Amino acid sequence: MMKMPMPSIDSVRVAVRVRPFSQREKNSGSKCVISMHSRTTTIIQDPKNPEHTKTFTFDLAYWSHNGFQKDKDGVFISANPSSKFAGQRDVFHDLGRGILDSAWQGYNTTLLAYGQTGSGKSYSMIGFGANKGIIPNVCEELFQAIENREKNQEYQVTFSMLEIYNEQVRDLLSKTKKPGGLKVREDQQLGFYVDGLKSVPCENYAQIERLMEQGTKIRTTASTNMNASSSRSHMVITIQFKQVFLDRDLSKQSSINLVDLAGSERQKSSGSEGDRLREGSRVNLSLTNLGNVISALADAAMGKKVLHIPYRDSVLTKLLQSALGRNSRTTLIAAISPADICYEETLSTLRYAERAKKIRNKAVVNTSTLMRESRAENNKLLLGCGNSRMAELPACQLRSPPDQLSWVHQLEQARSEWQQYYVAIAQEQQMMKTFPHLLNVSEDPQLTGVLKHFIEAGSCDAGQAASNAITLQGLGISDKHASFTNSDGKVTVTPLGKGKVIVNGVPITTKTKLQHLDRIILGSNSAYLYIGFPSERGSEDLSRFDYDFFQLERAASEGVSVDTLGAVNSGDGKADPSVLAVFQDYIKLMPLVAEANQMSEELKKGLNMELKVKNLASSDSRGYDLQKEVMVKVTNQRTRQVWIWSKAKFINRKFLMEELYQRFLDGEDSHVAQEEDPFWDPAEVIHLGSAHIWLQSLAYCMKFEEQVEFLNCDGLEEAVLHIHMGPCSPTGQACGEEDVVIDPLELLGKRMDFQIRIVQCLGTKWLKEDAEQGVQMGYRIYDLPNTLYTKPVWKILNPQIEETVQFTTLNASQEFLNYLKTNALIVDLWGLQEGCAELSCSQPGLMVTGEGHIMVDTKKISSVMDKGQTTSNQIPELYLKLLKLEQETELLRNINRVLREENVFLKESLEKTGSSQQAHKPSNTLKLTGTTAQLPAAREINQMRTQQASYDREFAKALKVFYQSMNVARGQFLKLRHHKPPEDDQMLRPFVHQQSQMLKDFGDLLESSLWKLKNDVALMVKKKRECLLHMEY
């Protein structure tokens, strides 16, 4: 009996690799937030707070962001000797060779690639073009090493390839799909294994290369059929490598698991945030469970008490049980994006990797003695058979239990299949040289160009029916979808029935001639590149026609572009990065919305989904543009009910829709309870638009009355608001023109009362669309903790609101006065629909005065109340009285101060008069007369002060007229900002003329307003000077 080998205690080896900017990130104006100052250190910078950085230390850190060039073979290499660029060979040298060394020693090895979608996981694992990844390099060097080994040893290699999607296992080397996927079973000796998984014996690297191509083709077809992106599935390649030492009756067995994990998007950015339904993708669930296993193992390695490692919670963690904490030498490569727009996901990936490096595995060399039957079988192999044999492992296996065929039989069967496969490949290559054909284009570059549909001479139909010359799968593909005709050296495509066909971004309904490299979309989102006749072809770079190219072209034909979203910053003419990022989100969601609409149609759900950009034409209370984001407007075409879904909620719902749709395709019952239906939501209040009313007039104690537009998310008029605002007395009596102030600082520290009166809402489109619906309005001013809502009004086209609210500040602060001068009141219009909960009109948590007016600018009051630990929602009456007494005291002080000044002035005047009379020695009678003569001078002073007050009032009136003009000008300016050019070129000239006229009107208004203010001020200055001259004489 063999002595059990001692385990090798190894920590999980962790490497991180940062890729170059993607084209999408370049288009978004992204900045790099990753830096690596050594081969082990990675630093990430917070784009919102550049001084805030986090440093991570791993076993290896690969800088692949820049500093590279292509050599003559198309391989990326360092641009110069000083470049720190790490290419594919560098990564393989460190990680791949480590895997091979462990395998030769008899250890099980595992390589995990982790990171968000598009971070470069598949590139590191598989590679692209001439830049081969770790997997092909490991396989190639394994067979090169086998060829150089001693003759008294035999080597047996088998290859399997599977995909885990939505907790189902799919064999990527089998053309037949088992409903529900392959089952994961457990064996006492083997641990968890996949029952019925095909393992193919391989004799050289070329065979593994062909198997990977075959597996990728099946994966592409499966992702099309299931309408599932490959980025949401895990791919596992397992190479069983057995070394047989015939002279020692000994064997070593190694299982090499190479795992490309699904995209690790955080739940907040792509999951069920804010959704009443569960997390939609069980892919994310499996990654969450993997994280739980890693965290538990990391805690155990740190000496913490861990009661349970949750391996059994998902298919993925069952199959990776030996790789994590058990019998395997494991490496994790964390692929990250350098872009600031991916900061949160990148930080999450780095933290995940940091936890993984704490895990400690106990790997052993897997050796066993050969039984007599095995020796006999291997002696047969010495007669000329090649290299491979599957052997029993003591840990997790991705295969059936040991009721396998003999190694010799497996090898013979594989050779027969290889012959058939080689014939099929040769035939396909010949047809590619002869006939025009369609190449599939996938979101995953690894799957692009895998499927080829040939258009032979004559007419051939394309669709789901098996009788078609071209059989297609995918959402929105009908049985007879389109017809392709190859005749007289040209190819045409004709949609059949209601089949949707898009050529170069434009939907077609009639026969259309195809040109070489035309882009075709069939159904909701099956994309193909048309390759013309051999005579039409050149040395074109087909890689530029990627998935994004198709979607950008499609968006442009629908009138959506960076320009229509307002990406140019008027300040410096550069593109606004936030708008560019929103545009990229829009492009990313376009095909998903098309697919969701198709599923709704086929499942007879009656929903129509359309992309919108939230805050496209909205600004905050100071007039600055709000952060834009993509949202989905969902309309039930039967009930006219509307929902607004965030990007995250829509993506989650689409996952759930796919599950339901897959059940429908599989012939299962796709009926679900309404509460569980991803196509349904309870009725909700819908935000229709916002109106901006500038508060500047209140800072000067002027009243304001205006009709202001409610602008919707597209910047178009949704309704018109009739509103009054104005200062008033504590009792609610409107202030007059004599109360207007020239400088808002005059109001500092004083009590201010003002009213906001919402009069009416006119021409609401929401109510025109359905007269049974209703509206509410809401607003919040300054430091109010809650939004104030008007009472709901139903079934009235132009609802009369007539609601007045009085606000009071007992001690106007500088901050509040500045707010009034520079900010706008934003009134939001909300649409009510049948069954929705109305917005609450109650006012909890608001402080009110004794008269019942809502208090604003309460910072000082709140701090006093906090110190006194007051718990009531209202200010105590005692405190109100105290404030009132303080105000009255301050008023008395001011009156006293004025009287003193007046007294000093009169005293000085009397002294001057007395000294003058003393000089002329007047009689007592004259003294009295002199004193009396002084009185007219006092009257003149009072008259002068009265005139001064008159000038102040005139100046206030002039300012009032000016500010009203400025409000009109501001409204015209907003219209100009959001006035978009027409898509029709013929309408461009009238648009330019209209725009020019609007600019001229805007300029005229500004000029006339300034000219009038200047004249009014000049007239007042002239009158004042005349008055002063008169007083001197």
Side-chain angles (χ1 to χ4, degrees):
M1 186 173 177
M2 274 196 69
K3 184 180 177 181
M4 288 296 293
M6 291 295 292
S8 167
I9 308 298
D10 300 301
S11 295
V12 170
R13 197 178 186 207
V14 176
V16 64
R17 188 181 191 189
V18 59
R19 60 160 172 75
F21 283 134
S22 66
Q23 191 58 48
R24 184 174 287 178
E25 287 164 349
K26 290 177 183 176
N27 293 343
S28 299
S30 296
K31 296 178 181 178
C32 181
V33 294
I34 298 293
S35 58
M36 294 177 176
H37 301 302
S38 73
R39 285 291 306 275
T40 58
T41 304
T42 301
I43 299 171
I44 184 169
Q45 180 186 56
D46 186 345
K48 294 179 181 177
N49 184 9
E51 295 179 358
H52 186 217
T53 61
K54 292 183 182 295
T55 302
F56 296 86
T57 302
F58 300 107
D59 297 286
L60 291 162
Y62 295 111
W63 180 262
S64 302
H65 178 60
N66 56 18
F68 58 88
Q69 63 184 18
K70 274 186 182 180
D71 67 7
K72 58 183 177 59
D73 298 319
V75 176
F76 292 116
I77 59 172
S78 295
N80 54 66
S82 63
S83 171
K84 55 183 179 179
F85 173 75
Q88 296 285 67
R89 292 303 298 180
D90 298 307
V91 177
F92 170 72
H93 182 272
D94 294 330
L95 304 183
R97 290 226 167 88
I99 290 170
L100 282 174
D101 291 344
S102 295
W104 279 106
Q105 293 173 49
Y107 289 105
N108 295 330
T109 64
T110 302
L111 175 63
L112 303 167
Y114 181 87
Q116 73 176 110
T117 300
S119 60
K121 299 185 305 296
S122 297
Y123 179 78
S124 292
M125 294 292 276
I126 307 293
F128 191 78
N131 296 276
K132 291 182 180 179
I134 295 172
I135 294 175
N137 278 318
V138 162
C139 298
E140 188 172 17
E141 293 216 358
L142 176 62
F143 282 105
Q144 286 176 358
I146 286 174
E147 290 174 4
N148 299 326
R149 291 283 169 160
E150 298 175 10
K151 299 297 181 183
N152 62 343
Q153 297 177 15
E154 289 300 329
Y155 305 96
Q156 303 166 5
V157 179
T158 61
F159 181 92
S160 65
M161 187 175 182
L162 64 84
E163 180 180 58
I164 305 171
Y165 174 74
N166 218 15
E167 289 296 279
Q168 293 187 4
V169 178
R170 166 103 194 209
D171 188 347
L172 294 179
L173 299 184
S174 173
K175 294 181 180 179
T176 57
K177 182 196 173 189
K178 187 176 180 180
L182 300 178
K183 300 301 179 186
V184 176
R185 305 195 186 281
E186 189 175 13
D187 182 84
Q188 286 187 347
Q189 283 77 36
L190 298 175
F192 291 107
Y193 66 91
V194 179
D195 189 16
L197 182 68
K198 185 175 182 179
S199 295
V200 180
C202 297
E203 299 177 272
N204 53 56
Y205 168 64
Q207 290 178 346
I208 284 188
E209 203 170 27
R210 297 287 85 78
L211 287 172
M212 288 177 65
E213 289 175 3
Q214 180 184 334
T216 303
K217 187 172 183 178
I218 291 173
R219 192 182 188 199
T220 306
T221 306
S223 70
T224 305
N225 293 351
M226 293 191 303
N227 187 43
S229 169
S230 64
S231 65
R232 302 206 307 275
S233 65
H234 313 287
M235 185 185 71
V236 182
I237 288 175
T238 301
I239 300 165
Q240 303 288 356
F241 174 49
K242 186 173 183 179
Q243 307 168 66
V244 181
F245 303 93
L246 298 174
D247 55 346
R248 290 186 283 168
D249 290 344
L250 186 72
S251 71
K252 284 184 180 180
Q253 171 78 36
S254 176
S255 176
I256 305 171
N257 295 315
L258 306 165
V259 186
D260 188 359
L261 294 168
S264 61
E265 280 70 29
R266 298 171 308 117
Q267 183 167 323
K268 183 177 179 183
S269 61
S270 66
S272 58
E273 179 192 23
D275 198 353
R276 63 184 177 84
L277 295 182
R278 63 180 170 84
E279 166 65 45
S281 172
R282 284 189 277 177
V283 172
N284 279 355
L285 178 66
S286 65
L287 280 176
T288 301
N289 289 335
L290 178 60
N292 293 339
V293 168
I294 288 174
S295 293
L297 290 170
D299 287 345
M302 298 294 288
K304 296 180 182 178
K305 187 176 181 180
V306 177
L307 299 176
H308 171 64
I309 309 295
Y311 291 115
R312 296 175 180 272
D313 288 0
S314 72
V315 168
L316 178 68
T317 48
K318 285 177 182 177
L319 297 181
L320 293 180
Q321 186 172 8
S322 69
L324 298 169
R326 297 199 177 182
N327 182 19
S328 176
R329 285 184 168 176
T330 301
T331 301
L332 181 140
I333 180 167
I336 59 174
S337 161
D340 51 356
I341 59 174
C342 298
Y343 169 77
E344 295 291 346
E345 282 79 7
T346 298
L347 182 59
S348 175
T349 299
L350 292 171
R351 285 173 172 162
Y352 199 98
E354 191 172 43
R355 288 198 303 273
K357 75 178 183 179
K358 297 174 184 176
I359 298 174
R360 299 177 72 80
N361 286 353
K362 300 174 183 179
V364 298
V365 175
N366 304 300
T367 60
S368 61
T369 54
L370 292 176
M371 304 301 290
R372 185 176 300 173
E373 293 81 1
S374 297
R375 286 198 296 272
E377 183 183 321
N378 282 292
N379 285 333
K380 290 180 183 178
L381 293 174
L382 288 172
L383 299 176
C385 292
N387 301 325
S388 314
R389 158 95 172 102
M390 277 187 64
E392 295 74 29
L393 287 182
C396 162
Q397 301 297 306
L398 303 177
R399 65 172 189 86
S400 300
D403 56 348
Q404 301 288 323
L405 298 170
S406 71
W407 173 251
V408 174
H409 194 174
Q410 286 186 67
L411 209 53
E412 288 174 355
Q413 191 177 35
R415 285 172 176 165
S416 173
E417 291 178 1
W418 279 118
Q419 286 301 114
Q420 297 174 20
Y421 186 66
Y422 289 143
V423 170
I425 288 177
Q427 184 181 2
E428 183 182 87
Q429 289 175 345
Q430 184 58 41
M431 292 183 74
M432 286 177 66
K433 296 176 182 177
T434 308
F435 297 107
H437 53 278
L438 304 176
L439 285 180
N440 79 297
V441 177
S442 171
E443 186 178 9
D444 185 348
Q446 302 288 339
L447 306 186
T448 292
V450 172
L451 303 180
K452 304 169 187 70
H453 300 294
F454 297 99
I455 306 171
E456 299 184 46
S459 181
C460 57
D461 290 343
Q464 295 213 28
S467 59
N468 293 321
I470 298 176
T471 306
L472 301 173
Q473 299 293 334
L475 264 174
I477 303 291
S478 53
D479 287 344
K480 295 285 184 181
H481 194 89
S483 177
F484 291 87
T485 303
N486 178 352
S487 177
D488 299 329
K490 65 179 182 179
V491 172
T492 59
V493 59
T494 308
L496 299 177
K498 295 182 179 179
K500 298 173 185 174
V501 180
I502 296 174
V503 177
N504 300 335
V506 181
I508 64 167
T509 55
T510 58
K511 180 187 286 189
T512 302
K513 182 183 176 183
L514 296 178
Q515 303 287 344
H516 177 52
L517 301 182
D518 273 351
R519 283 76 57 202
I520 302 169
I521 297 177
L522 303 174
S524 61
N525 196 37
S526 297
Y528 296 93
L529 184 65
Y530 169 69
I531 306 299
F533 292 93
S535 58
E536 298 179 88
R537 302 174 199 171
S539 56
E540 303 95 351
D541 178 15
L542 301 186
S543 64
R544 74 186 185 94
F545 298 107
D546 59 6
Y547 186 79
D548 279 357
F549 188 97
F550 278 66
Q551 303 308 326
L552 285 167
E553 189 172 55
R554 191 173 179 178
S557 71
E558 294 177 9
V560 179
S561 66
V562 173
D563 292 335
T564 59
L565 296 182
V568 177
N569 188 326
S570 57
D572 54 12
K574 294 181 180 178
D576 182 345
S578 65
V579 177
L580 290 172
V582 167
F583 178 63
Q584 295 305 319
D585 275 346
Y586 194 101
I587 294 301
K588 183 179 178 181
L589 289 186
M590 269 187 62
L592 304 186
V593 170
E595 292 165 3
N597 278 327
Q598 186 63 41
M599 286 188 279
S600 170
E601 183 180 327
E602 293 187 33
L603 292 171
K604 296 181 171 56
K605 295 294 183 178
L607 294 192
N608 179 63
M609 287 159 255
E610 56 181 321
L611 278 173
K612 296 286 184 182
V613 179
K614 185 179 179 182
N615 299 327
L616 177 62
S618 301
S619 54
D620 64 14
S621 65
R622 299 193 66 180
Y624 299 128
D625 287 345
L626 289 171
Q627 184 72 35
K628 296 173 176 60
E629 59 183 273
V630 176
M631 60 185 183
V632 179
K633 181 181 179 182
V634 185
T635 306
N636 187 315
Q637 294 173 308
R638 291 191 293 268
T639 65
R640 304 306 302 166
Q641 204 168 55
V642 177
W643 302 283
I644 300 296
W645 289 350
S646 66
K647 171 189 167 185
K649 184 173 180 176
F650 167 72
I651 291 175
N652 183 58
R653 287 302 178 91
K654 186 170 182 292
F655 286 146
L656 294 169
M657 291 174 188
E658 287 170 5
E659 288 183 17
L660 198 62
Y661 184 71
Q662 191 60 44
R663 282 158 55 182
F664 167 74
L665 293 180
D666 293 341
E668 301 174 15
D669 182 14
S670 59
H671 175 76
V672 290
Q674 189 180 65
E675 292 73 19
E676 294 296 319
D677 190 349
F679 292 92
W680 179 85
D681 253 348
E684 62 184 32
V685 178
I686 302 298
H687 185 259
L688 303 177
S690 300
H692 283 58
I693 302 94
W694 295 93
L695 299 167
Q696 194 175 36
S697 59
L698 291 179
Y700 294 90
C701 287
M702 299 177 187
K703 66 180 181 180
F704 173 87
E705 179 179 357
E706 190 62 88
Q707 290 190 347
V708 188
E709 294 175 329
F710 281 110
L711 298 179
N712 62 21
C713 65
D714 296 321
L716 304 175
E717 182 185 305
E718 177 65 31
V720 173
L721 169 67
H722 184 189
I723 188 170
H724 287 192
M725 288 192 313
C728 63
S729 68
T731 58
Q733 186 176 356
C735 293
E737 290 184 351
E738 65 277 3
D739 297 303
V740 173
V741 299
I742 297 173
D743 187 350
L745 286 176
E746 294 178 39
L747 303 172
L748 185 63
K750 296 180 181 179
R751 172 168 178 156
M752 279 184 66
D753 287 85
F754 58 93
Q755 293 180 342
I756 294 177
R757 177 184 166 212
I758 294 181
V759 182
Q760 192 175 14
C761 185
L762 303 166
T764 310
K765 290 182 181 177
W766 173 257
L767 298 173
K768 289 178 182 177
E769 291 170 2
D770 187 345
E772 296 298 307
Q773 297 177 148
V775 292
Q776 272 185 277
M777 278 164 274
Y779 60 89
R780 188 168 67 183
I781 189 166
Y782 195 51
D783 56 0
L784 282 189
N786 304 322
T787 300
L788 303 179
Y789 293 104
T790 61
K791 292 177 182 177
V793 180
W794 293 84
K795 305 177 183 180
I796 301 175
L797 186 59
N798 297 309
Q800 197 81 19
I801 309 297
E802 288 295 350
E803 288 195 20
T804 302
V805 179
Q806 183 160 331
F807 298 91
T808 300
T809 172
L810 298 174
N811 189 4
S813 66
Q814 182 71 61
E815 292 81 5
F816 179 64
L817 294 175
N818 290 340
Y819 166 82
L820 292 179
K821 286 193 291 184
T822 58
N823 286 57
L825 176 73
I826 298 178
V827 181
D828 291 305
L829 179 65
W830 297 91
L832 305 175
Q833 43 194 344
E834 186 179 355
C836 75
E838 296 172 347
L839 298 168
S840 174
C841 300
S842 62
Q843 301 171 0
L846 298 181
M847 294 193 292
V848 296
T849 65
E851 302 95 336
H853 308 322
I854 295 174
M855 295 189 65
V856 293
D857 194 17
T858 58
K859 187 176 180 181
K860 181 179 177 183
I861 298 170
S862 298
S863 63
V864 171
M865 290 175 67
D866 289 341
K867 289 175 184 175
Q869 297 182 341
T870 306
T871 57
S872 171
N873 286 334
Q874 282 194 327
I875 296 178
E877 200 66 31
L878 184 62
Y879 186 73
L880 271 176
K881 289 178 180 178
L882 180 62
L883 282 175
K884 194 171 183 181
L885 284 171
E886 283 183 4
Q887 285 184 313
E888 289 176 356
T889 303
E890 184 62 31
L891 182 62
L892 288 171
R893 286 196 192 105
N894 289 337
I895 293 171
N896 189 38
R897 192 181 303 114
V898 171
L899 289 173
R900 280 181 180 176
E901 290 174 359
E902 185 77 17
N903 190 33
V904 169
F905 178 78
L906 289 172
K907 187 176 181 181
E908 289 175 353
S909 299
L910 286 170
E911 285 176 355
K912 287 180 183 177
T913 306
S915 60
S916 172
Q917 290 170 354
Q918 187 68 32
H920 292 89
K921 298 180 180 179
S923 65
N924 290 335
T925 307
L926 285 176
K927 283 181 184 178
L928 179 62
T929 306
T931 307
T932 309
Q934 183 62 33
L935 293 176
R939 283 199 297 269
E940 288 177 4
I941 292 169
N942 289 332
Q943 182 184 358
M944 188 170 67
R945 289 182 177 175
T946 303
Q947 288 175 337
Q948 179 65 38
S950 174
Y951 299 147
D952 289 349
R953 280 195 297 274
E954 289 179 17
F955 187 45
K957 286 179 184 178
L959 279 176
K960 179 180 177 181
V961 172
F962 178 70
Y963 289 135
Q964 287 174 342
S965 300
M966 285 301 97
N967 278 328
V968 176
R970 189 181 275 120
Q972 288 191 2
F973 180 66
L974 284 172
K975 282 184 181 179
L976 277 169
R977 278 183 64 188
H978 302 304
H979 209 52
K980 302 297 180 187
E983 297 170 17
D984 187 355
D985 291 343
Q986 293 181 353
M987 299 299 294
L988 197 57
R989 188 179 294 276
F991 169 79
V992 171
H993 176 74
Q994 184 186 11
Q995 194 85 343
S996 300
Q997 188 61 44
M998 288 177 73
L999 280 169
K1000 182 178 181 298
D1001 293 344
F1002 177 62
D1004 290 346
L1005 181 60
L1006 275 178
E1007 191 175 342
S1008 63
S1009 300
L1010 289 169
W1011 179 84
K1012 188 167 190 325
L1013 179 65
K1014 182 180 175 181
N1015 278 0
D1016 289 343
V1017 171
L1019 185 62
M1020 281 183 278
V1021 170
K1022 182 180 177 183
K1023 286 183 178 179
K1024 192 168 184 178
R1025 283 179 178 171
E1026 288 175 353
C1027 180
L1028 289 172
L1029 287 171
H1030 175 72
M1031 293 299 296
E1032 288 177 7
Y1033 291 106

